[in-house]
Amino acid sequence: MIIVLNGYPGVGKLTIGQELISRISGRLLDIHSVYNVAFALTVFKSPEFIDTVEKIEAIAHDLIRKLPAEIPVVLTTVLAGSSDWGDAEWKRIVCLGRERAPLLVVHLHCDLDENIRRIEAAERATKRKPRDAEMARRNHAQGKVLAGIDEANLLELDVTDLSPTDAAAKIAEWIQRFRV
């Protein structure tokens, strides 16, 4: 089972993912675990950046494939709209999800004020996460459709008024219907 938490920066993907894996006895691969080497050593979105991300992702996906089938894996990502790079990354996630079926997609959303409060949190800086309130404003005004909107197993979850624990509980409850 692959569970993808997709949402714009600051909605709580990592925090919810950490809560979720303890509830479902799973593993978590956070997008920043994949991207941080590229952020540290290359120029954002340069060919070297993309190559680095793809190589790290390939290693991570190979390790996921080696896990026992009964261990669910939670991935966090920010994939929206359409671009060659984003579309290719989503296809790799879908492929992994088909190999370790079912593929479950959760779109996380929160209102603008809450998104700004979360994105500006000081602890985000230590994880190389964006802290720009303008980014949140742009995403709310001009945000593109999140990848996975056409997946059969999709949960749209507004986490504005939910704690990470409550959000993880709702996701875990939804996941139960897909467990064999």
Side-chain angles (χ1 to χ4, degrees), residues 22-85:
S22 68
R23 290 179 175 272
I24 63 173
S25 300
R27 302 284 180 92
L28 174 65
L29 178 61
D30 174 51
I31 188 172
H32 292 281
S33 297
V34 174
Y35 276 52
N36 278 347
V37 172
F39 280 135
L41 302 173
T42 67
V43 175
F44 184 56
K45 291 192 178 179
S46 68
E48 294 82 14
F49 180 91
I50 293 169
D51 185 54
T52 301
V53 168
E54 289 174 355
K55 286 176 180 173
I56 294 168
E57 184 182 78
I59 292 167
H61 286 196
D62 285 344
L63 291 169
I64 290 169
R65 288 180 183 96
K66 292 176 184 175
L67 290 172
E70 66 273 9
I71 297 178
V73 178
V74 176
L75 307 175
T76 70
T77 194
V78 182
L79 288 173
S82 185
S83 69
D84 290 343
W85 180 39

Side-chain angles (χ1 to χ4, degrees), residues 3-143:
I3 303 115
V4 181
L5 304 181
N6 191 7
Y8 282 106
V11 298
K13 297 177 298 294
L14 175 58
T15 310
I16 293 167
Q18 290 166 332
E19 290 281 337
L20 181 59
I21 61 166
S22 68
R23 290 179 175 272
I24 63 173
S25 300
R27 302 284 180 92
L28 174 65
L29 178 61
D30 174 51
I31 188 172
H32 292 281
S33 297
V34 174
Y35 276 52
N36 278 347
V37 172
F39 280 135
L41 302 173
T42 67
V43 175
F44 184 56
K45 291 192 178 179
S46 68
E48 294 82 14
F49 180 91
I50 293 169
D51 185 54
T52 301
V53 168
E54 289 174 355
K55 286 176 180 173
I56 294 168
E57 184 182 78
I59 292 167
H61 286 196
D62 285 344
L63 291 169
I64 290 169
R65 288 180 183 96
K66 292 176 184 175
L67 290 172
E70 66 273 9
I71 297 178
V73 178
V74 176
L75 307 175
T76 70
T77 194
V78 182
L79 288 173
S82 185
S83 69
D84 290 343
W85 180 39
D87 293 347
E89 188 167 346
W90 182 251
K91 285 178 185 172
R92 290 189 298 273
I93 290 172
V94 168
C95 180
L96 180 66
R98 301 287 184 250
E99 292 173 33
R100 289 185 56 95
L103 171 64
L104 308 178
V105 178
V106 181
H107 285 176
L108 298 174
H109 308 277
C110 65
D111 72 23
L112 178 59
D113 290 339
E114 180 63 11
N115 197 186
I116 290 170
R117 186 188 72 73
R118 292 177 185 182
I119 206 167
E120 290 181 330
E123 63 270 12
R124 289 179 59 85
T126 62
K127 298 173 185 165
R128 291 193 173 101
K129 291 180 165 195
R131 296 187 57 224
D132 181 7
E134 283 307 310
M135 173 186 286
R137 287 183 184 92
R138 279 191 311 274
N139 289 338
H140 277 261
Q142 306 162 10

